[in-house]
Amino acid sequence: MLKNYFKIAFRNLWRHRVFSFINIMGLTVGMTACLLIFLYVRFELSYDNFHPKADRIYRMVTDLKTPSETVHPSGPAWAVGPHLQFDLPEVEAFTRVNFDNLLIRKGEIKFNESNSIWADSAFFNIFNFPLLKGDARTALIEPFSLVLSESAAKKYFGKQDPLGQTLLVNAEGKPAIVTGIMKDMPENTLIKCDVILSMSTISQYYWKGINDQWGSYGGLTYVLLKPGSNAQVLQKKFPAFLDKWNGTEMRKIQMFPTLLLEPLKDVYLRSTRDESKGNLKNVYIFSIIALFILAIACINFINLTTARASERAKEVGIRKVAGAVRTQLARQFIGESMVISMIAFLLTLGLSCLLLSSFNQLAGKTISTGIFTNIWLVVLLLGIALIIGMLAGIYPAFVLSSFKPIMVLKGRFATGAKGSFLRKSLVITQFAISTALIIGTIIVYSQMQYMRSQDLGFRKDQVLVIDINESDKRETFQQLVAHIPTVKATTLSGSVPGGGHQGAYSEVENGKGDMQIANLDLYFVDFDYISLYDIKMAAGRPFDRAYKTDSNNAMILNEAAVKMLGYSSPEQAIGKRFKQWQHEGQIIGVIKDFHYHSLQSPIAPLTMRMQWDRFGLLSVKVNPSNVQSTITAIEKQFRTVIPNRPFSYYFMDEFFDRQYRSEERFGRLFLNFAALAIFISCLGLLGLASYSTMQRTREIGIRKVMGASVSNIINLLSKEFLKLVIISFFIAAPVAWYFMHQWLLDFAYRTNISWLVFAAAGTLAVLIALLTISLQAFKAAVANPVKALRTE
């Protein structure tokens, strides 16, 4: 009996090849998209979850309140970590992590290791980054102890054993001993690095006294709590802890930190700090899209299965006359539907394996190395496929099997209004989802275009930025580069737009004449910085070589800083006093606000000063006619003047635009999955249109004989479906507006959602549906009516 059921199932599939292809392909594409999206979502939710002690690891962050504002540095003061265990018994261990760009050399091999960190000795006790060689307990205790990843070790030592070997670090070439080799860190961690240098190197050589610095903020601090400790109870002890160690100084400088604990598992997606690289809203959006696509695929499958059910009414009648009972018929129909869904499931696995590499590239990260590394997702998808098959088989199983065989065999069977209403409702649902995704796609790309087309307040074109990392030969190198014929201008600085900044304790005279305390962003720049980047002056003047005091005793503010200080116009700030990092003097100019961060962030108060020992970057304005030869000439001078450092550069426009990579990836993923949803919807619409046309073959033939034109027939067959698509638009529009409005709230500078977006989306949805339906309608309209009238 079972063999007979399978035989009948495959005969039906082959007899109706077009419907079978549409049914299986729609479900396969839908489940493939769903599986890939869930792999992405799972990966995003897995950041730093692999640490065995993750439930006890917290990142300490700070809200720093000044008389001007509350700022949010990434971590607490440098001194907090070393003092925690004196007063707070809940803390088992701590480690500070500071990201850096270390210069490392071994003979002629030299690299600027951008993925480098400084870390305290408890780093490997807190985090689960296994050492392949070396002792995790002692690897980072001594100064100039160096731990390398497997990849970094091969880069410097090849097949040699690196343990105990020496590498030279930083510009002065201090020898550091390799004390450990760790496995390459996984992709899903925020502490990803290839080189770790012991924090004792800083505290004993580069910055003596850092462990007692309560007013300096820089690195990240992670704490491991003892088992059973309550993070909220510990957090309540922090005010007394800070008051004991630094209360007098806090009140003197009027800067009051509040220490907070962020669970390690929440940092990537839920932290409000700059280091949080993920976007929880995007994860929610993709999860919803995955469910939507799966829902559309299910709707198609169920729709086409139930639509074709009437074709098998006579088969049911004959089988019942032959003695088949209702339960046998129900099992047969459900079984056939599940066979089709299993075929789609197997095709899904194959298609997912083929597309995984391309999907990793589209996502911009290796979210999975193989489908079967996430076996629980495969099992979940198998369960979904079985459920879909069962749901699709229920209608023919329990409806058709209930009809009386005599009525069916006399040709009095009809699917009825209920079946028609169900199919129409499902079509409206799937096209509402598709239309909402079309609206979302247009808004996402409108926002991306808006961000790229905004006036940033500075020029980033044809600017080359070279990393000289505070070399003592910086001025010599700058002069040699400036004499290259294709170089238009040069400037030294500590920061470039989009590349970070210093945070500085500052006292600046405000509109009331008081010295207002604030923690202000600070750019170290030279005389030519403002002119090279074409930053406009709002009042006063830029730095000028004609004024000797500009090198040490002058400051420039932006308009945001002027507003914070309470001045009604930029001119009022000129000549006012300032104190900042042991420097004091007067404000000589105010620049117009420019976007030195992404447009996701508002423009913050910014100060500019000159300090030659802080210059680590050389910006070069080049002639666009022959850029490559210019780079070659610059590199030649670099290797002559700064031979111990690798030549490293980037183009300013590309560098600044990197800030939008995550949004661009989101946009590409959104577009691709929206296109898939529309494609699956069109497959379903094509199948239903084909079925509807087939059911009305004789009607079409009669109408043609009576004089109906091709356009009349196309209009007759299309208008019913177009009504459903229009209804779906009015359902989708308000829902899409709400969710995309919430998404745009993450951007400080954002586009408006115009009515044109909805008009374009609605028009596009109607055109797509019309094209899908018209193809089948036209085929029926031009068919020979004589053949149609002969149809049984």
Side-chain angles (χ1 to χ4, degrees):
M1 181 66 72
L2 186 62
K3 180 181 177 181
N4 188 49
Y5 285 165
F6 275 107
K7 187 183 292 185
I8 293 172
F10 283 108
R11 279 177 181 173
N12 278 316
L13 284 176
W14 184 250
R15 185 179 303 141
H16 304 282
R17 291 184 290 274
V18 174
F19 285 107
S20 300
F21 175 79
I22 291 174
N23 226 2
I24 294 172
M25 183 54 64
L27 189 57
T28 298
V29 172
M31 289 199 297
T32 300
C34 186
L35 178 58
L36 292 176
I37 293 176
F38 278 146
L39 284 174
Y40 175 83
V41 169
R42 178 185 177 278
F43 178 83
E44 290 292 286
L45 294 173
S46 71
Y47 266 73
D48 287 311
N49 282 0
F50 56 87
H51 301 288
K53 302 173 185 175
D55 291 334
R56 295 194 284 131
I57 302 173
Y58 293 81
R59 189 178 77 166
M60 298 187 73
V61 296
T62 308
D63 288 338
L64 188 59
K65 187 175 182 180
T66 73
S68 302
E69 78 275 272
T70 299
V71 294
H72 307 283
S74 55
W78 286 102
V80 168
H83 288 76
L84 284 172
Q85 291 168 300
F86 294 140
D87 292 355
L88 304 171
E90 293 92 343
V91 177
E92 180 178 314
F94 81 94
T95 185
R96 292 165 296 178
V97 173
N98 186 51
F99 289 88
D100 201 354
N101 186 1
L102 288 175
L103 171 63
I104 297 185
R105 289 180 286 150
K106 180 180 182 290
E108 294 300 314
I109 303 173
K110 47 182 178 283
F111 290 97
N112 274 326
E113 294 288 356
S114 56
N115 284 339
S116 304
I117 64 171
W118 308 76
D120 285 294
S121 57
F123 181 85
F124 291 108
N125 174 40
I126 295 174
F127 299 110
N128 182 38
F129 297 120
L131 285 190
L132 303 175
K133 294 183 178 181
D135 188 341
R137 296 170 298 176
T138 61
L140 293 173
I141 290 179
E142 296 299 323
F144 292 103
S145 296
L146 202 62
V147 175
L148 304 177
S149 68
E150 281 184 280
S151 298
K154 288 178 182 176
K155 186 165 62 177
Y156 292 103
F157 297 100
K159 296 182 179 180
Q160 297 179 20
D161 184 1
L163 210 62
Q165 301 275 8
T166 299
L167 292 172
L168 303 180
V169 298
N170 291 332
E172 62 271 27
K174 290 280 189 178
I177 307 298
V178 178
T179 54
I181 305 299
M182 62 180 175
K183 288 182 66 175
D184 287 347
M185 290 187 176
E187 186 83 29
N188 55 338
T189 178
L190 280 174
I191 318 173
K192 192 171 178 64
C193 64
D194 290 311
V195 177
I196 306 177
L197 191 60
S198 59
M199 187 64 71
S200 58
T201 311
I202 291 184
S203 62
Q204 296 185 34
Y205 286 88
Y206 290 110
W207 191 356
K208 294 180 180 179
I210 188 176
N211 291 342
D212 295 308
Q213 286 287 332
W214 291 94
S216 180
Y217 299 79
L220 307 173
T221 298
Y222 293 88
V223 294
L224 175 66
L225 303 191
K226 292 177 181 177
S229 297
N230 187 307
Q232 297 302 317
V233 172
L234 173 61
Q235 197 166 277
K236 291 177 181 178
K237 296 181 179 181
F238 287 153
F241 166 79
L242 289 172
D243 190 68
K244 172 185 175 181
W245 291 98
N246 195 43
T248 303
E249 185 67 15
M250 287 191 303
R251 288 182 281 274
K252 177 182 177 182
I253 65 175
Q254 293 294 294
M255 295 183 75
F256 299 95
T258 299
L259 297 179
L260 305 168
L261 293 174
E262 291 182 338
L264 180 66
K265 293 180 179 180
D266 290 349
V267 172
Y268 177 68
L269 287 175
R270 294 177 175 84
S271 175
T272 58
R273 311 292 155 156
D274 291 342
E275 287 74 23
S276 179
K277 305 296 182 184
N279 188 316
L280 189 59
K281 282 187 180 179
N282 289 354
V283 171
Y284 287 145
I285 287 171
F286 281 127
S287 300
I288 293 170
I289 289 175
L291 295 175
F292 278 175
I293 290 176
L294 189 60
I296 291 172
C298 294
I299 287 169
N300 277 357
F301 190 78
I302 294 169
N303 244 349
L304 293 176
T305 302
T306 56
R308 283 185 49 218
S310 60
E311 294 178 25
R312 304 186 64 181
K314 287 187 177 181
E315 176 195 337
V316 171
I318 293 170
R319 290 175 67 85
K320 292 190 82 171
V321 168
V325 297
R326 187 174 180 182
T327 53
Q328 288 177 316
L329 293 170
R331 283 199 301 269
Q332 178 188 343
F333 282 115
I334 292 175
E336 287 181 14
S337 181
M338 293 179 71
V339 165
I340 297 173
S341 65
M342 283 300 97
I343 293 172
F345 170 73
L346 295 174
L347 290 174
T348 293
L349 295 182
L351 188 58
S352 298
C353 290
L354 289 174
L355 293 177
L356 185 59
S357 177
S358 298
F359 184 67
N360 284 335
Q361 293 179 6
L362 189 64
K365 57 183 79 174
T366 305
I367 60 167
S368 179
T369 55
I371 296 299
F372 296 101
T373 58
N374 302 274
I375 195 65
W376 70 270
L377 272 178
V378 176
V379 173
L380 176 63
L381 195 67
L382 173 61
I384 291 172
L386 291 172
I387 291 170
I388 293 170
M390 185 173 292
L391 290 174
I394 283 174
Y395 178 83
F398 292 101
V399 176
L400 289 183
S401 62
S402 68
F403 288 117
K404 294 180 180 179
I406 296 175
M407 294 181 63
V408 172
L409 292 175
K410 284 183 177 180
R412 296 178 183 174
F413 171 80
T415 55
K418 289 183 179 179
S420 176
F421 177 77
L422 173 65
R423 287 193 291 277
K424 288 178 180 179
S425 300
L426 293 177
V427 168
I428 289 172
T429 301
Q430 68 179 179
F431 256 87
I433 293 170
S434 298
T435 305
L437 291 176
I438 292 173
I439 294 169
T441 302
I442 295 173
I443 292 173
V444 167
Y445 272 84
S446 295
Q447 176 63 17
M448 295 299 101
Q449 185 60 33
Y450 175 84
M451 293 168 70
R452 291 198 172 279
S453 62
Q454 284 297 293
D455 180 8
L456 298 174
F458 72 97
R459 291 191 179 276
K460 54 186 173 66
D461 302 325
Q462 281 85 53
V463 176
L464 195 69
V465 182
I466 303 162
D467 183 4
I468 53 177
N469 204 16
E470 301 176 14
S471 168
D472 56 1
K473 302 291 183 65
R474 62 176 73 87
E475 292 177 69
T476 303
F477 175 61
Q478 181 189 20
Q479 291 170 7
L480 291 171
V481 170
H483 284 92
I484 296 173
T486 49
V487 170
K488 294 181 177 180
T490 63
T491 183
L492 289 163
S493 66
S495 303
V496 293
H501 57 270
Q502 301 284 339
Y505 173 79
S506 310
E507 296 179 51
V508 186
E509 187 177 354
N510 62 22
K512 297 179 181 179
D514 301 323
M515 296 299 287
Q516 184 169 327
I517 295 171
N519 192 72
L520 299 176
D521 292 348
L522 170 61
Y523 268 22
F524 293 110
V525 304
D526 76 356
F527 295 106
D528 303 308
Y529 189 91
I530 291 173
S531 61
L532 184 141
Y533 281 103
D534 199 18
I535 301 169
K536 307 300 181 185
M537 298 299 301
R541 62 176 178 83
F543 295 114
D544 193 330
R545 289 179 177 82
Y547 297 87
K548 293 183 179 179
T549 54
D550 280 9
S551 296
N552 291 294
N553 309 110
M555 175 183 281
I556 292 175
L557 306 177
N558 69 349
E559 291 173 308
V562 168
K563 184 178 180 181
M564 184 203 71
L565 292 167
Y567 294 110
S568 57
S569 68
E571 289 78 9
Q572 291 180 350
I574 305 302
K576 303 302 182 183
R577 297 168 294 153
F578 79 87
K579 294 180 181 179
Q580 188 182 69
W581 279 9
Q582 290 80 50
H583 290 263
E584 56 183 284
Q586 291 184 328
I587 297 167
I588 63 168
V590 176
I591 54 173
K592 288 185 175 294
D593 284 341
F594 69 96
H595 291 278
Y596 61 100
H597 292 307
S598 157
L599 270 75
Q600 286 181 288
S601 307
I603 297 174
L606 175 69
T607 62
M608 287 184 175
R609 279 200 302 106
M610 297 185 66
Q611 192 167 328
W612 293 94
D613 61 346
R614 294 282 180 170
F615 295 156
L617 300 171
L618 177 67
S619 299
V620 183
K621 189 87 168 180
V622 299
N623 191 318
S625 59
N626 199 343
V627 175
Q628 191 54 52
S629 64
T630 304
I631 294 173
T632 302
I634 293 172
E635 183 178 6
K636 181 180 178 181
Q637 298 295 350
F638 184 93
R639 296 193 184 283
T640 302
V641 179
I642 314 175
N644 291 329
R645 185 173 294 279
F647 180 63
S648 176
Y649 70 91
Y650 50 84
F651 287 98
M652 186 62 212
D653 53 354
E654 295 176 0
F655 176 76
F656 191 85
D657 290 346
R658 285 177 194 170
Q659 299 175 100
Y660 306 121
R661 280 185 180 175
S662 61
E663 284 75 29
E664 287 176 347
R665 284 196 295 267
F666 171 77
R668 287 197 299 269
L669 287 169
F670 198 104
L671 173 64
N672 279 274
F673 288 120
L676 276 179
I678 296 164
F679 171 73
I680 298 169
S681 296
C682 290
L683 275 181
L685 200 58
L686 178 63
L688 285 178
S690 301
Y691 176 77
S692 177
T693 303
M694 184 184 68
Q695 292 288 85
R696 302 175 71 173
T697 301
R698 296 185 69 186
E699 177 192 345
I700 293 167
I702 294 170
R703 287 180 179 274
K704 290 194 71 176
V705 170
M706 297 298 292
S709 65
V710 172
S711 59
N712 293 144
I713 301 298
I714 292 175
N715 181 58
L716 172 71
L717 296 174
S718 302
K719 64 182 182 181
E720 181 181 351
F721 288 105
L722 287 179
K723 286 179 184 177
L724 302 181
V725 173
I726 291 170
I727 292 171
S728 71
F729 168 76
F730 286 104
I731 295 172
V735 176
W737 178 87
Y738 174 78
F739 283 104
M740 295 315 298
H741 175 71
Q742 295 298 314
W743 180 74
L744 286 172
L745 292 178
D746 282 344
F747 298 88
Y749 303 89
R750 51 187 176 268
T751 186
N752 294 318
I753 303 178
S754 167
W755 65 270
L756 291 173
V757 170
F758 299 97
T763 303
L764 188 59
V766 169
L767 288 175
I768 290 170
L770 188 60
L771 181 62
T772 304
I773 299 163
S774 297
L775 291 173
Q776 190 63 36
F778 180 77
K779 182 180 176 182
V782 299
N784 189 337
V786 176
K787 291 183 178 180
L789 293 174
R790 286 177 179 173
T791 302
E792 183 71 28

